[in-house]
């Protein structure tokens, strides 16, 4: 994976050389290039911004420095070499056997409150990329013509870190690079850590403990000291569900209903959250689907009304 970051504060991203991310760079798993946008200016003040057309508060980042920087990044893209090596091997013709050519343009991510919200699912998708370029803006943003022009050579993707505004996009870039890199095979010290962490399976992670068994009169849950792996797994699963219900009920509502087992449903029912039996839900759905030669309206009118297949988190029992 190659990362290119164009910024007026390259030193802001120095922490990316530390810890496991730094080790991933040493292993050659990621290749990070920082570009100072001011190096692509020609006046003695190295100016990268100007007043907005139409008036208004703040300054806008000028187009030409960004254009020159992205020109250089594009010329050095590893995707150029892969594209040259496969030239002439793409499927030809327009028949059923012809396959559409893959889009080999680098991905240009522009941190923006107007972009798609970054999450773990997006991180997994981005970890499959070969070359990601980040364009963190400052001031009121980048001249829109830069993004219009960039679409000729890049896949442009505005991305938001969340529903709030920062001084600039560098913090968002650091967060995204960390989240993406740790999903690249070989980048984590213990790959198993990825399997049970928050958001990977749709629920929040369970609480964890280490030695000593008693600290300031607070004891580690007894089940974790029991050696009973089945009981420990159940306890952790229950804590995941409980924590998600308390802190992120929206995740609980989006969780696939067929993945709740009987013990999950019983645990949730004790807390006022009820689920339909997945098998019955499937039967209900099948009955609602119109038969090939049946009257659709009649089917809809006679379909049985059963339980909801989604959790009812609107009124869970408090503190239970």
């Amino acid at each position: 994976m190659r990362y290119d970051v164009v910024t007026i504060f390259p030193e802001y991203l120095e922490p990316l050389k530390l810890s496991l991310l730094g080790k991933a760079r040493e292993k050659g798993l990621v290749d990070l290039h920082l570009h100072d946008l001011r190096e692509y200016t020609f006046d003695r003040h190295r100016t990268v911004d100007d007043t907005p057309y139409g008036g208004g508060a703040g300054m806008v980042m000028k187009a030409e420095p960004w254009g020159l920087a992205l020109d250089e990044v594009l010329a050095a893209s590893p995707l150029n070499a892969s594209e040259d090596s496969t030239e002439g091997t793409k499927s030809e013709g327009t028949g059923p056997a012809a396959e559409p050519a893959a889009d080999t343009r680098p991905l240009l991510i522009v941190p923006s409150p107007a972009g798609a919200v970054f999450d773990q699912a997006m991180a997994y998708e981005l970890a499959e990329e070969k070359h990601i370029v980040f364009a963190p803006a400052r001031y009121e943003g980048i001249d829109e013509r830069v993004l219009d022009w960039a679409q000729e050579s890049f896949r442009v993707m505005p991305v938001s870190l969340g529903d709030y505004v920062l001084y600039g996009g560098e913090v968002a870039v650091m967060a995204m690079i960390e989240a993406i890199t740790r999903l690249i095979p070989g980048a984590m010290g213990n790959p198993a850590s990825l399997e049970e962490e928050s958001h990977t399976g749709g629920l929040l992670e369970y609480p964890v403990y280490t030695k000593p068994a008693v600290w300031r009169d607070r004891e580690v849950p007894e089940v974790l000291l029991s050696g009973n792996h089945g009981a420990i797994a159940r306890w952790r699963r229950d804590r995941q569900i409980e924590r998600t219900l308390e802190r992120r009920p929206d995740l609980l509502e989006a969780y696939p209903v067929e993945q709740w087992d009987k013990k999950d449903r019983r645990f949730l029912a004790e807390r006022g959250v009820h689920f339909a039996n997945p098998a019955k839900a499937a039967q209900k759905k099948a009955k609602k689907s119109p038969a090939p030669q049946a009257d659709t309206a009649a089917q809809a009118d006679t379909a049985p009304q059963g339980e909801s297949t989604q959790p009812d988190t609107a009124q869970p029992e408090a503190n239970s």
Side-chain angles (χ1 to χ4, degrees):
M1 167 77 82
R2 172 172 171 136
Y3 298 118
D4 281 272
V5 185
V6 182
T7 171
I8 61 172
F9 294 121
E11 63 274 15
Y12 209 114
L13 291 101
E14 287 296 313
L16 293 177
K17 298 178 181 179
L18 305 176
S19 190
L20 290 176
L21 202 151
K23 292 181 179 180
R25 294 182 65 195
E26 293 174 2
K27 293 178 183 178
L29 298 175
V30 296
D31 188 14
L32 175 65
H33 297 263
L34 305 179
H35 307 268
D36 187 345
L37 185 65
R38 297 190 188 278
E39 295 295 328
Y40 302 91
T41 60
F42 300 98
D43 65 304
R44 65 175 182 168
H45 298 294
R46 305 207 303 171
T47 307
V48 297
D49 62 311
D50 208 334
T51 55
Y53 278 123
M59 304 290 278
V60 176
M61 302 192 86
K62 300 172 67 173
E64 187 60 5
W66 278 103
L68 293 173
L70 293 176
D71 282 340
E72 185 172 298
V73 168
L74 185 64
S77 176
L79 295 178
N80 290 337
S82 62
E83 185 178 2
D84 293 340
S85 64
T86 58
E87 188 174 357
T89 63
K90 297 177 181 178
S91 300
E92 298 180 355
T94 58
E99 296 181 1
D103 192 337
T104 59
R105 295 176 297 167
L107 179 64
L108 176 62
I109 293 182
V110 183
S112 168
V117 177
F118 183 80
D119 59 14
Q120 190 70 1
M122 185 185 293
Y124 270 103
E125 293 177 4
L126 295 177
E128 301 293 327
E129 296 286 338
K130 300 298 182 185
H131 186 195
I132 301 178
V133 183
F134 292 93
R138 287 265 162 174
Y139 317 122
E140 296 302 311
I142 303 171
D143 188 313
E144 189 69 19
R145 291 171 296 180
V146 174
L147 306 185
D148 294 340
W149 162 83
Q151 294 185 57
E152 298 175 6
S153 302
F154 297 88
R155 290 171 289 138
V156 180
M157 183 179 181
V159 177
S160 172
L161 200 61
D163 295 335
Y164 49 86
V165 180
L166 303 169
Y167 280 122
E170 286 80 8
V171 170
V173 169
M174 291 177 64
M176 286 187 275
I177 288 179
E178 280 215 3
I180 296 166
T181 300
R182 64 197 302 277
L183 300 178
I184 296 174
M188 283 291 289
N190 182 4
S193 298
L194 299 173
E195 297 176 4
E196 297 180 344
E197 62 188 4
S198 294
H199 302 295
T200 296
L203 301 176
L204 299 183
E205 191 173 9
Y206 50 78
V208 294
Y209 303 84
T210 188
K211 300 175 182 66
V214 180
W215 176 79
R216 298 188 180 183
D217 297 329
R218 290 169 171 79
E219 299 182 1
V220 171
E222 185 176 352
V223 64
L224 299 180
L225 308 176
S226 68
N228 185 332
H229 298 295
I232 291 172
R234 186 65 248 172
W235 180 89
R236 287 175 169 170
R237 174 69 171 179
D238 289 345
R239 299 291 78 72
Q240 279 190 287
I241 297 171
E242 185 176 60
R243 178 172 284 186
T244 305
L245 176 62
E246 292 175 352
R247 304 180 184 180
R248 292 292 304 275
D250 58 308
L251 296 179
L252 206 69
E253 292 172 0
Y255 195 79
V257 66
E258 64 273 9
Q259 292 187 25
W260 297 119
D261 61 26
K262 291 182 179 179
K263 292 182 179 179
D264 292 339
R265 294 197 298 275
R266 185 182 306 119
F267 182 81
L268 281 162
E270 293 170 355
R271 286 151 181 80
V273 182
H274 300 278
F275 295 86
N277 182 296
K280 290 183 179 179
Q283 292 176 0
K284 172 186 171 184
K285 184 176 180 180
K287 290 181 179 180
K288 282 190 174 182
S289 299
Q293 296 180 345
D295 185 343
T296 303
Q299 289 285 335
D301 290 341
T302 58
Q305 301 298 315
E307 296 177 83
S308 170
T309 61
Q310 293 298 323
D312 178 11
T313 58
Q315 297 179 333
E317 295 178 7
N319 301 322
S320 58

